């Protein structure tokens, strides 16, 4: 079929156009036009990387202000458990006994929420017991502060609305319907409702806990049927078997807790400066920064030395930790060692030892500039540790000791991204390609079984 031209267009113009297009095609095919500007996004011939163009998937290092922010979670695994729960609007739990550092408090709050789901109860936003500012070994001070001391409270509330919509969350106990009619609050420690001993790996039959709770509650009959029960839960720590609801629930449940925004921003700034000073590439959107830094948790502070049992003294010693960490250091060929510790005198000793094998050791206090350092120093001791808790999660390699909930929490969160699945079979208490937790193999089974990652 002959080519149909628009009315009024002479055929000789069509022929001329065909000749010009053919000539251009031959020129491009046999003589690449290298003189095109190499920075032009439409120049497909350049042999150099395209500049001035940033991939939307890989933001530049300095364009990220908060590498640890994430939206409220909507977990189908959590929803499925909540959908199977029979809810009771007349029962509300309070959780105001969480003590210690981030590893302890995080686990206690999550356990409290899990027990509220089991009972079908409402929940008042938990509070936190703050440790003594003069003696950090004193953690049971009886002084409570709001959840925002460590966590993003709105994220907590929004995540539960999305993942467990039937769970009623109250900002304060005064918001509970008919609270003025409530009898005095009743207290209990969740695990004490279970008869018999509880193994280190947690409740043997957590699915039966609801029945134990309602049987216990029968001893407190109400005189007014419209009055609510206010139940104060004592501290629950490393007692709930997290995988009893399935791996999906276990690995997503911790997402209802997100650390407060200021420490997330300080942790991001710490990573940015660490990358710039020690010249490693860092895509902060990735969970693990390969070929970057080695993170070590030097756990020799006063509260640890006084709190650990005698059989752990070997691993509580500075000399033991320093030796093990420096022996591990070469496996990831790090640019630098980042040290998390609340004892800067011990950090100075470690930096000197690390220099002996030609590796620099640094901390957040060394890295953060004036304004950010002032902001860091204004935080409480446990709040400062939150910066390290986040930074360590992205290290190329990590090391800690086996009786530290901080170290275990970091390692278990990192293990989600590891290929090694037999991480509890040695040679250390936890061993995979991303982390080492030092101690006797199979020691402290409660951490792997009962600490929410």
């Amino acid at each position: 079929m002959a080519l149909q031209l628009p009315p009024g267009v002479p055929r000789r113009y069509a022929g001329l156009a065909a000749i010009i297009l053919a000539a251009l095609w031959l020129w491009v095919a046999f003589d690449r036009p290298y003189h095109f500007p190499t920075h032009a996004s439409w120049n497909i011939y350049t042999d150099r990387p395209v500049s001035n163009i940033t991939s939307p998937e890989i933001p530049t290092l300095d364009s990220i202000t908060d590498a640890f922010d994430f939206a409220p979670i909507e977990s189908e695994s959590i929803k499925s458990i909540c959908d199977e729960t029979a809810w009771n609007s007349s029962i509300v739990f309070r959780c105001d006994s969480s003590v210690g550092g981030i590893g302890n408090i995080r686990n206690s709050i999550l356990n409290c929420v899990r027990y509220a789901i089991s009972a079908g109860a409402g929940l008042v936003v938990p509070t936190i017991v703050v440790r003594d500012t003069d003696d950090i070994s004193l953690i049971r001070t009886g002084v409570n502060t709001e959840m925002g001391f460590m966590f993003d409270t709105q994220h907590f509330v929004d995540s539960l609305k999305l993942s467990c919509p039937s769970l009623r969350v109250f900002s304060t106990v005064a918001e509970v319907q008919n609270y003025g009619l409530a009898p005095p609050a009743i207290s209990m420690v969740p695990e004490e409702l279970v008869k018999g001993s509880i193994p280190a790996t947690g409740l043997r039959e957590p699915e039966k806990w609801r029945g134990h709770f309602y049987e216990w509650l029968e001893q407190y009959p109400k005189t007014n049927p419209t009055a609510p029960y206010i139940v104060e839960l004592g501290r629950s720590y490393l007692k709930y078997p997290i995988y009893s609801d399935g791996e999906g629930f276990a690995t997503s449940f911790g997402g209802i807790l997100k650390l407060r925004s200021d420490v997330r921003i300080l942790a991001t700034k710490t990573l940015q400066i660490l990358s710039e000073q020690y010249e490693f590439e860092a895509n902060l959107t990735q969970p693990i920064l390969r070929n970057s830094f080695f993170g070590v948790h030097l756990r020799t502070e006063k509260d640890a030395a006084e709190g650990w049992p005698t059989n752990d003294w070997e691993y509580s010693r500075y000399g033991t930790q320093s030796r093990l960490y420096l022996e591990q250091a070469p496996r990831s060929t790090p640019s630098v060692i980042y040290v998390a510790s609340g004892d800067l005198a011990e950090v100075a000793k470690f930096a000197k030892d690390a220099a002996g094998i030609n590796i620099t050791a640094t901390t957040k206090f060394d890295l953060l500039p004036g304004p950010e350092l002032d902001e860091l120093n204004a935080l409480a001791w446990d709040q400062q540790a939150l910066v390290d808790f986040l930074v360590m999660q992205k290290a190329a390699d990590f090391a800690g000791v086996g009786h530290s909930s901080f170290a275990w929490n970091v390692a278990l969160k990192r293990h989600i991204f590891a290929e090694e699945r037999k991480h509890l079979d040695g040679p250390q208490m936890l061993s995979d390609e991303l982390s080492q937790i030092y101690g006797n193999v199979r020691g402290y089974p409660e951490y792997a079984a009962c600490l929410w990652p």
Side-chain angles (χ1 to χ4, degrees):
M1 179 182 292
L3 179 64
Q4 298 295 318
L5 297 173
V9 177
R11 286 189 176 274
R12 63 178 181 274
Y13 291 166
L16 180 60
I19 293 171
I20 292 172
L21 287 173
L24 283 172
W25 183 87
L26 290 171
W27 178 54
V28 169
F30 295 103
D31 186 16
R32 291 172 60 186
Y34 290 102
H35 61 278
F36 284 175
T38 56
H39 67 272
S41 61
W42 41 264
N43 180 5
I44 63 173
Y45 299 110
T46 180
D47 294 317
R48 290 185 287 172
V50 175
S51 60
N52 299 331
I53 300 296
T54 303
S55 169
E57 290 82 21
I58 307 178
T60 58
L61 182 66
D62 59 359
S63 68
I64 299 176
T65 58
D66 186 351
F68 300 96
D69 191 18
F70 58 96
I73 67 165
E74 185 172 8
S75 166
E76 294 302 321
S77 298
I78 299 175
K79 277 184 181 179
S80 66
I81 298 296
C82 290
D83 287 347
E84 296 171 357
T85 299
W87 295 91
N88 188 333
S89 61
S90 69
I91 300 175
V92 177
F93 282 4
R94 296 189 66 176
C95 306
D96 301 323
S97 301
S98 297
V99 300
I102 177 60
N104 287 244
I105 288 175
R106 187 173 181 274
N107 184 252
S108 293
I109 290 177
L110 290 171
N111 281 0
C112 183
V113 178
R114 185 62 189 88
Y115 282 121
I117 294 172
S118 292
L123 177 70
V124 178
V125 171
T127 63
I128 292 170
V129 178
V130 294
R131 77 172 72 221
D132 189 89
T133 55
D134 297 319
D135 184 351
I136 61 172
S137 66
L138 299 179
I139 59 175
R140 292 174 173 83
T141 61
V143 179
N144 282 69
T145 190
E146 60 185 20
M147 188 181 186
F149 180 76
M150 286 190 172
F151 303 103
D152 183 328
T153 305
Q154 193 60 52
H155 174 91
F156 174 76
V157 173
D158 291 344
S159 293
L160 287 176
K161 284 181 179 178
L162 291 170
S163 294
C164 192
S166 297
L167 173 59
R168 295 161 298 121
V169 180
F170 304 95
S171 297
T172 67
V173 70
E175 292 181 359
V176 176
Q177 186 176 7
N178 295 329
Y179 172 66
L181 303 176
I186 49 180
S187 302
M188 60 91 174
V189 176
E191 295 80 23
E192 292 181 357
L193 304 186
V194 179
K195 296 178 181 179
S197 62
I198 298 175
T201 51
L203 300 178
R204 289 186 177 88
E205 298 175 304
E207 69 279 2
K208 293 184 178 181
W209 186 85
R210 179 187 173 98
H212 296 315
F213 169 72
Y214 279 98
E215 181 180 348
W216 168 84
L217 194 62
E218 288 176 357
Q219 65 183 300
Y220 301 100
K222 291 190 297 184
T223 57
N224 186 333
T226 64
Y229 280 110
I230 306 299
V231 183
E232 295 180 348
L233 269 65
R235 181 181 186 240
S236 172
Y237 179 59
L238 297 179
K239 296 295 184 182
Y240 196 93
I242 63 173
Y243 290 99
S244 60
D245 299 311
E247 185 173 1
F249 189 102
T251 56
S252 64
F253 192 52
I256 67 174
L257 293 179
K258 180 171 68 174
L259 297 187
R260 48 189 281 166
S261 62
D262 55 351
V263 299
R264 301 197 312 262
I265 293 170
L266 287 173
T268 303
K269 187 68 173 179
T270 300
L271 285 171
Q272 290 169 334
I273 297 174
L274 193 65
S275 172
E276 292 167 355
Q277 285 193 11
Y278 296 95
E279 300 180 336
F280 60 82
E281 293 185 3
N283 177 3
L284 298 187
T285 63
Q286 295 300 307
I288 305 295
L289 302 179
R290 311 282 179 173
N291 304 313
S292 58
F293 65 98
F294 176 31
V296 305
H297 182 220
L298 193 60
R299 190 67 170 104
T300 56
E301 298 95 340
K302 181 178 185 291
D303 66 318
E306 294 183 1
W308 286 343
T310 55
N311 60 315
D312 292 326
W313 282 356
E314 176 62 29
Y315 288 98
S316 70
R317 294 170 179 161
Y318 167 81
T320 301
Q321 293 181 34
S322 177
R323 174 179 57 81
L324 292 171
Y325 297 166
L326 293 178
E327 287 175 356
Q328 180 180 335
R331 82 169 186 168
S332 60
T333 60
S335 301
V336 62
I337 298 177
Y338 180 89
V339 186
S341 175
D343 189 332
L344 295 183
E346 296 283 76
V347 173
K349 289 166 58 178
F350 183 82
K352 184 177 180 180
D353 290 343
I357 60 171
N358 297 317
I359 301 180
T360 300
T362 191
T363 71
K364 57 184 179 289
F365 296 101
D366 301 320
L367 296 164
L368 289 172
E372 286 82 1
L373 183 59
D374 291 341
E375 186 178 354
L376 177 68
N377 286 325
L379 297 174
W381 193 76
D382 282 307
Q383 292 174 320
Q384 292 179 354
L386 303 180
V387 175
D388 293 330
F389 186 73
L390 292 173
V391 170
M392 290 299 184
Q393 292 175 34
K394 289 187 180 289
D397 199 10
F398 172 73
V401 285
H403 25 279
S404 165
S405 61
F406 179 103
W408 268 100
N409 221 161
V410 170
L412 289 172
K413 289 177 76 67
R414 291 166 57 82
H415 180 68
I416 295 173
F417 307 102
E419 295 181 4
E420 176 59 61
R421 293 292 92 189
K422 297 181 179 179
H423 57 300
L424 303 178
D425 293 344
Q428 299 302 328
M429 199 176 288
L430 180 149
S431 297
D432 61 28
E433 72 273 19
L434 299 178
S435 307
Q436 294 276 355
I437 298 297
Y438 289 95
N440 298 323
V441 179
R442 300 291 176 184
Y444 294 101
E446 59 267 32
Y447 284 112
C450 301
L451 192 67
W452 302 95

